[in-house]
């Protein structure tokens, strides 16, 4: 039939875009608007072939072939079919398996069944060469698209380029319609935190900030000097009275007061049913979400939420705030800023994990992403509470 089909190797497309924008083929460094990307592919394919689009096939890999949030967003777009290979760990890095084979099989099947007259391939892998040759034998015209290389060189197999009927290079201007550099969060802890915490520790009762007899740098220190700075265990076992005294002393001298982001350590563990602070008594998102709202949340996650760490924190906070009911209850949190209640914090991180923030990181959300997720939560909260933005600006 007189229709065109687009087959996209996502690893090639997004890796090449990242290489051009940031100098390395790391997909995590770029943010993609998938709806705009699919529209751009369709528009260009129809213009070059002069034929209506049958379908865009998106080939990618995922751990255990389970779709990531970006795959779930893609597969609900019109005329898009997602095919997943396996993403496995080998020699300390992630590798794709089965993606080339799936592209080869789809290309061959489309040509054999005369489902289209023109095929657009967005790939650079020479393993697809037999599939291209087979498609041509069945009368299909093969259009091979390349992405502009960062170093001005080629990023496709020479044999694949030679076998294609038509060749095009998609330039930076075309890519910038749907991809942008992802903003990286500030490193954690923030600059200057070390000096602030050092001041707090120096204010701890019975702990000298420094000793005039400290040896010069490079010389062996006496054993007594090793106890100048208390360990987290030392801080955790301090009595409530000592902590109150230290906090008041720090506040009196204009110094900061140390806060924690969980119930462990500085905050005493309460009895089983007793919240450590008033903020710990606030409900979690799951407790105030109806089944209908849960379904709507899932739809929004699939179709609208991009998965950026800041955005994820803001979306979670927006839903929680909207369903909490009253701003008066939110003001309770500011007494513990930047600590998020333990149960709510755990729920927030579990929600973030659904957006692929665990991918390529040994099933852990790294510290920078955790900081960005929580920062997004507080920024959304600050827009809803009187004086919240000023409080964050002063922090």
């Amino acid at each position: 039939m007189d229709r065109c089909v687009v087959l996209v190797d996502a690893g090639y497309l997004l890796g090449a875009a990242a290489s051009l924008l940031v100098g390395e083929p790391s997909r995590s460094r770029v943010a993609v608007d998938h709806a705009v990307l699919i529209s751009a592919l369709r528009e260009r394919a129809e213009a070059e072939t002069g034929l209506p689009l049958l379908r865009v096939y998106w080939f990618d890999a995922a751990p255990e072939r389970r779709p990531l949030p970006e795959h779930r967003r893609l597969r609900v777009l019109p005329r898009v079919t997602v095919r997943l290979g396996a993403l496995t760990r080998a020699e300390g890095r992630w590798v794709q398996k089965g993606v080339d084979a799936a592209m080869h099989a789809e290309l061959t099947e489309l040509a054999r069944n005369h489902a289209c007259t023109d095929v657009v391939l967005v790939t650079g892998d020479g393993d697809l060469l037999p599939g291209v040759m087979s498609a041509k034998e069945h009368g299909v015209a093969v259009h091979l698209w390349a992405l502009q290389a960062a170093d001005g060189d080629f990023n496709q197999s020479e044999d694949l380029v030679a076998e294609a009927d038509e060749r095009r290079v998609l330039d930076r201007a075309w890519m910038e319609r749907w991809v942008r550099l992802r903003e990286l969060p500030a490193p954690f802890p923030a600059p200057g935190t070390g000096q602030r915490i050092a001041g707090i520790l120096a204010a701890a009762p019975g702990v000298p900030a420094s000793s005039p007899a400290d040896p010069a740098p490079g010389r062996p220190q006496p054993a007594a000097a090793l106890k100048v700075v208390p360990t987290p265990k030392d801080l955790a076992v301090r009595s409530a009275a000592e902590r109150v005294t230290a906090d008041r002393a720090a506040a009196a001298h204009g110094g900061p007061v140390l806060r924690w982001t969980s119930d462990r350590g500085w905050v005493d563990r309460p009895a089983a049913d007793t919240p450590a602070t008033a903020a710990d008594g606030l409900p979690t998102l799951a407790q105030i979400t109806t089944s209908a709202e849960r379904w709507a949340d899932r739809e929004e996650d699939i179709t609208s939420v991009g998965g950026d760490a800041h955005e994820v924190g803001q979306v979670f906070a927006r839903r929680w705030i909207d369903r909490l009911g009253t701003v008066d209850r939110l003001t309770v949190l500011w007494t513990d800023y930047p600590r998020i209640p333990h149960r709510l914090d755990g729920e927030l991180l579990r929600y973030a994990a659904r957006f692929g923030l665990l991918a390529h990181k040994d099933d852990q959300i790294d510290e920078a992403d955790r900081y960005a997720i929580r920062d997004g939560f507080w920024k959304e909260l600050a827009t809803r509470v009187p004086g919240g933005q000023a409080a964050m600006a002063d922090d």
Side-chain angles (χ1 to χ4, degrees):
M1 298 182 66
D2 292 340
R3 298 177 297 192
C4 68
V5 170
V6 180
L7 275 63
V8 180
D9 179 349
Y12 167 77
L13 175 68
L14 302 183
S19 293
L20 188 61
L21 287 181
V22 299
E24 58 175 309
S26 175
R27 292 168 55 170
S28 63
R29 296 291 307 278
V30 294
V32 177
D33 188 327
H34 292 94
V36 174
L37 169 56
I38 296 300
S39 177
L41 288 169
R42 177 174 187 168
E43 175 187 311
R44 181 128 187 177
E46 291 181 338
E48 288 203 10
T49 64
L51 300 171
L53 177 76
L54 170 62
R55 192 172 296 115
V56 173
Y57 287 90
W58 184 272
F59 296 88
D60 204 357
E64 300 180 2
R65 300 180 189 267
R66 297 174 60 182
L68 297 172
E70 66 181 84
H71 303 138
R72 294 196 292 270
R73 287 191 293 274
L74 277 164
R75 66 186 183 183
V76 298
L77 295 176
R79 303 286 181 131
V80 176
T81 295
V82 176
R83 298 280 189 257
L84 293 179
L87 190 64
T88 59
R89 195 82 169 168
E91 298 181 356
R93 64 189 185 92
W94 292 96
V95 294
Q96 295 185 158
K97 288 189 177 181
V99 175
D100 297 335
M103 289 190 71
H104 179 279
E106 199 72 58
L107 175 59
T108 304
E109 194 70 13
L110 289 167
R112 183 184 295 118
N113 293 328
H114 303 289
C116 59
T117 56
D118 290 66
V119 170
V120 175
L121 294 177
V122 185
T123 185
D125 199 332
D127 290 343
L128 205 58
L129 183 61
V132 171
M133 297 172 66
S134 175
K136 291 175 65 177
E137 290 172 359
H138 286 88
V140 174
V142 178
H143 304 252
L144 183 65
W145 289 359
L147 270 74
Q148 179 182 337
D151 54 6
D153 203 351
F154 295 104
N155 54 14
Q156 290 178 306
S157 162
E158 184 177 344
D159 292 336
L160 191 64
V161 171
E163 192 65 31
D165 295 306
E166 301 285 346
R167 291 166 289 277
R168 294 289 183 272
V169 176
L170 307 178
D171 60 16
R172 185 185 186 114
W174 183 84
M175 283 184 275
E176 287 178 343
R177 294 171 57 185
W178 50 267
V179 68
R180 61 177 174 79
L181 181 64
R182 188 187 297 276
E183 295 181 4
L184 295 179
F188 182 84
T193 300
Q195 289 83 347
R196 294 199 301 271
I197 292 180
I200 295 167
L201 297 178
V207 180
S210 61
S211 170
D214 285 345
R219 296 183 185 178
Q221 296 187 3
L226 297 177
K227 293 298 292 181
V228 169
V229 178
T231 66
K233 182 178 179 181
D234 296 331
L235 294 173
V237 299
R238 290 173 59 202
S239 68
E242 287 179 311
R243 287 198 298 274
V244 170
T245 301
D247 288 352
R248 288 175 176 172
H253 291 84
V257 176
L258 186 61
R259 302 287 187 186
W260 295 75
T261 57
S262 74
D263 288 341
R264 299 182 178 87
W266 192 280
V267 179
D268 287 330
R269 287 199 175 276
D273 299 324
T274 305
T277 67
D280 287 308
L282 293 172
T284 63
L285 179 61
Q287 291 173 330
I288 54 177
T289 300
T290 66
S291 57
E293 289 171 332
R294 190 172 296 109
W295 184 89
D297 291 346
R298 194 70 172 178
E299 285 295 302
E300 182 184 13
D301 290 343
I302 293 173
T303 58
S304 303
V305 182
D308 175 78
H310 272 96
E311 181 187 12
V312 167
Q314 288 178 308
V315 169
F316 181 92
R318 170 172 54 79
R319 292 174 183 168
W320 182 69
I321 294 167
D322 288 343
R323 295 164 196 171
L324 198 58
T326 173
V327 174
D328 293 340
R329 303 182 73 184
L330 297 179
T331 57
V332 173
L333 278 177
W334 288 105
T335 60
D336 286 344
Y337 174 78
R339 175 184 174 269
I340 299 175
H342 185 60
R343 290 186 304 152
L344 190 65
D345 189 52
E347 188 181 38
L348 170 61
L349 295 179
R350 287 192 298 274
Y351 171 69
R354 290 166 46 188
F355 289 87
L357 292 172
L358 296 180
H360 317 297
K361 296 174 183 174
D362 298 320
D363 295 334
Q364 294 291 327
I365 300 178
D366 69 20
E367 192 65 25
D369 281 343
R370 287 172 182 258
Y371 179 75
I373 292 163
R374 290 163 175 153
D375 188 51
F377 176 92
W378 283 110
K379 284 184 177 178
E380 181 65 24
L381 186 68
T383 64
R384 309 293 191 94
V385 178
Q389 292 177 314
M392 290 194 71
D394 294 338
D395 183 59

